[in-house]
Amino acid sequence: MDSLQSPRGTRDILPEDQQYWNFIRQAVAKKATYFGFDRIDLPMFENVKTFTRSIGSGTDIVEKELYEVKRFSEKQSSLESKNNFALRPEGTAGVVRAYIQNGMQYWTQPIKLWYLGSMFRYDRPQKGRYREFQSMGAELIGDESPASDAQIILLAWEVFVELGLDNNLIVDINTIGDDNCRPKIRKALVSYYENNYQDLCQDCLNRLKSNPLRLLDCKNESCNKIKKNAPQTFDLVDENCKKNFKEVLEYLDELNIPYDLNPSLVRGLDYYTRTTFEFRQKEDTERQSALGGGGRYDGLVELLGGQPTPAVGFGLGLDRMVELLKKSRISLPNENISQVCLISLGERAKLIAVSLIQEITRAGFKVTFAPQKDSLKAQLRFANKVNSAFALIIGQKEALDNTIIVKNLDDSSQEIISRNKLISYFNKKLSRVN
Ligand code: AMP
């Protein structure tokens, strides 16, 4: 029989890597909390319209990368059907859906939420690109001032600082204007790209009709050459958007956050307005492996059925952050909590050992046990292999007189203590699990 494999583009995160993930999850939770963001957990799948209406039906994410969720017995489906579901490809659309559904517009604004979890996209798997990846995001909904854009960028930046990943990092930033400026931007792009249409890839030929702004997002080589002389959105946006953008940059200057003005940063999702930004390693000039990104999305709440509400947010890619942490050889906080290993000889001793598991773990210490192994030698070997600090040996004699042999596995010293003194003994000798 064939052995089953995880689906292409997904992976198991094994125990040896958990320290990196924990480090990142803790940093993210800490910084989001310090910045006054509350955690929200959202369903992993949503009505497909949550994504088609927000991310945009002409985008790669919706057109090519969305995973449908359906029962095996269901037959037909389409992006347009009413009750179709899709695995979430990103977090913002779901947060905005939740904002509207839970009446958050009536709460004190702005609403500040953060999330963490799996996202799913049918991408071509390669290093740093998976079909299931982990993302952390923060959304600030209900405030339109550039100071909120700055606060959002700062929160992401501080996560990188906390992780020691900021040294080689830069923020790419751009403004893509709002509804007011879009017709002018579209017109300028269409007219420029129509003059170069013979060198465009098929995707860009389609974008020329459906979503000209996204022409700037193409990574194809021949399109890249054309992009270099394309009209720049900053020159085309109205005075208001320009003023806002300059203010955002002033905040970044004040905060000493390094940035690059990148006129082709439009991002692959339709809901963005005004500020767009991405975090990348300085040498990754082609933005092949951004660590995160985001922007303002002032039209999205209304687009999904709520009141007109300004908002700004970001999403970070945790898988890429883990890879960078490993590459940078940053030393992680030591997670090696010392543990004790129970060793029992005989049935009565085994009974005591199991009840000691309850007692020791309730007191906050880490414990391990290999009850299948009978001999003292085999159990001691196991205790050493799993790096236990102490072995607690309960033989027949100890079982009868309620004592335990405590063997220090570092220096092989041992002493006999009575069972009811065990926890106060550990209190002096061992660190607790937090
Ligand atoms: P996006 O919503 O496309 O801006 O994605 C936000 C961040 O998630 C990106 O900057 C990446 O760090 C990460 N990301 C996006 N797609 C993938 C993927 N297929 N695999 C791993 N990380 C991803």
Side-chain angles (χ1 to χ4, degrees), residues 90 121 123 128-130 133 267 269 290-293 315-317 320:
E90 57 101 52
R121 294 183 192 176
D123 241 326
R129 195 166 290 282
Y130 306 99
F133 62 95
R267 316 240 324 116
L269 306 93
L291 291 164
L316 304 182
R320 294 184 190 174

Side-chain angles (χ1 to χ4, degrees), residues 44-218:
M44 290 221 194
F45 63 96
E46 298 263 359
N47 189 306
V48 73
K49 286 189 176 162
T50 304
F51 306 120
T52 49
R53 277 201 219 161
S54 56
I55 298 165
S57 30
T59 58
D60 282 358
I61 295 184
V62 165
E63 248 182 9
K64 303 181 186 163
E65 299 172 3
L66 218 49
Y67 279 96
E68 186 181 351
V69 178
K70 64 174 184 185
R71 283 178 294 128
F72 282 102
S73 52
E74 273 175 70
K75 298 235 159 43
Q76 278 185 336
S77 54
S78 81
L79 281 175
E80 301 312 317
S81 322
K82 228 167 68 194
N83 288 321
N84 275 341
F85 300 101
L87 286 178
R88 60 184 184 192
E90 57 101 52
T92 306
V95 172
V96 171
R97 194 265 313 133
Y99 174 89
I100 300 166
Q101 183 177 340
N102 295 287
M104 292 188 209
Q105 61 267 44
Y106 305 112
W107 304 1
T108 306
Q109 307 294 300
I111 300 292
K112 293 155 76 179
L113 301 168
W114 74 278
Y115 60 82
L116 177 77
S118 284
M119 306 296 156
F120 305 86
R121 294 183 192 176
Y122 187 82
D123 241 326
R124 196 148 51 86
Q126 50 188 287
K127 197 169 161 51
R129 195 166 290 282
Y130 306 99
R131 292 183 175 167
E132 179 184 11
F133 62 95
Q134 300 287 318
S135 177
M136 174 269 169
E139 316 290 348
L140 192 158
I141 308 175
D143 190 280
E144 64 176 350
S145 60
S148 288
D149 302 39
Q151 199 189 153
I152 274 289
I153 296 173
L154 178 63
L155 168 54
W157 186 258
E158 290 301 300
V159 169
F160 290 118
V161 171
E162 179 78 9
L163 297 171
L165 293 179
D166 57 310
N167 286 336
N168 198 27
L169 209 67
I170 192 149
V171 185
D172 267 338
I173 191 161
N174 191 22
T175 176
I176 56 172
D178 56 16
D179 281 352
N180 247 345
C181 330
R182 282 298 156 79
K184 193 171 163 194
I185 296 176
R186 267 197 211 112
K187 202 166 153 209
L189 286 172
V190 169
S191 121
Y192 171 78
Y193 274 91
E194 270 178 354
N195 284 331
N196 292 285
Y197 82 95
Q198 64 279 15
D199 294 324
L200 291 179
C201 70
Q202 188 54 48
D203 275 348
C204 278
L205 288 172
N206 297 340
R207 287 173 188 142
L208 198 52
K209 291 195 199 93
S210 63
N211 192 348
L213 201 60
R214 299 219 45 246
L215 288 160
L216 296 173
D217 204 30
C218 187

